[in-house]
Amino acid sequence: GSQGDKGSIGDKGTKGDSGLSGNQQNNLELSPYFLALTFPNGKIVGDKIFMTSGYEGNFDDLKKKCMQAGGQLASPRNNEENAAVQQIVFTHDKSVFLGINDIQTEGKFTYLDGKPIVYSNWQPGEPNNDKGIEDCVQVFSTGKWNDKSCDERLLILCEF
Ligand code: GMH
Ligand code: CA
């Protein structure tokens, strides 16, 4: 929205002079619309919405489901986004797959578009490619990352 208005769901939350995102500036988090739409499966961070449906499946299945919904698997690119992912994992007590893997080249983790990751939050000792079969990335309720087999069935978490 324009400066001074109350903001809306369509407001992408561009950062202004205050350094706060539009969502914070406009107190979107306090609005009943925000509370209703994000309870208990979603989080809004800046211009990104993370949302789970509660569905569980393997990496290919979850990747496909997010794309069919017009989004993609959660791909946190900074601490704030990772904290939002962590909160959903914690709330549901189920870990999620990220839209990050090293299927193409072992040891080189990329986003789904093939670009190298710009942010990570590995658990100490990870990624360890345990048994040589771990090309996908799961998030624990601590927010820390572990490489895991893409054949595991985890909770879906998409970003829009
Ligand atoms: C091995 C050990 C554990 C570690 C797991 C995990 C599997 O079993 O190194 O300490 O937690 O691998 O990385 O994904
Ligand atoms: Ca591992």
Side-chain angles (χ1 to χ4, degrees):
S2 59
Q3 208 175 24
D5 74 14
K6 297 284 287 175
S8 67
I9 296 299
D11 191 316
K12 285 304 197 175
T14 311
K15 284 182 182 5
D17 293 342
S18 69
L20 296 174
S21 76
N23 292 327
Q24 292 164 316
Q25 247 170 12
N26 298 319
N27 283 322
L28 182 57
E29 278 133 329
L30 297 179
S31 89
Y33 301 102
F34 178 97
L35 295 174
L37 292 175
T38 61
F39 172 77
N41 296 328
K43 282 290 286 182
I44 299 177
V45 180
D47 63 359
K48 200 179 269 193
I49 301 176
F50 294 103
M51 188 71 65
T52 181
S53 67
Y55 183 85
E56 293 173 60
N58 66 27
F59 174 77
D60 282 339
D61 197 4
L62 302 184
K63 183 175 85 166
K64 193 183 302 175
K65 282 244 172 3
C66 285
M67 288 186 62
Q68 284 169 343
Q72 65 166 9
L73 271 175
S75 306
R77 297 175 70 93
N78 55 52
N79 271 316
E80 192 186 10
E81 291 184 0
N82 198 69
V85 172
Q86 174 185 3
Q87 203 215 283
I88 288 171
V89 170
F90 185 84
T91 298
H92 293 263
D93 197 20
K94 286 174 182 171
S95 76
V96 298
F97 274 131
L98 297 181
I100 292 173
N101 64 72
D102 70 342
I103 293 169
Q104 188 79 19
T105 305
E106 177 53 40
K108 299 234 177 297
F109 284 87
T110 71
Y111 299 111
L112 299 176
D113 66 5
K115 293 188 175 137
I117 55 173
V118 298
Y119 165 87
S120 64
N121 193 36
W122 297 112
Q123 170 103 341
E126 307 296 347
N128 65 352
N129 195 29
D130 190 38
K131 301 187 176 81
I133 57 161
E134 298 190 319
D135 291 344
C136 284
V137 181
Q138 71 175 140
V139 180
F140 295 131
S141 59
T142 56
K144 290 295 174 183
W145 298 7
N146 174 43
D147 60 339
K148 197 71 178 169
S149 165
C150 302
D151 294 331
E152 293 280 310
R153 288 174 55 88
L154 303 181
L155 178 67
I156 194 169
L157 183 62
C158 308
E159 64 177 37
F160 299 91

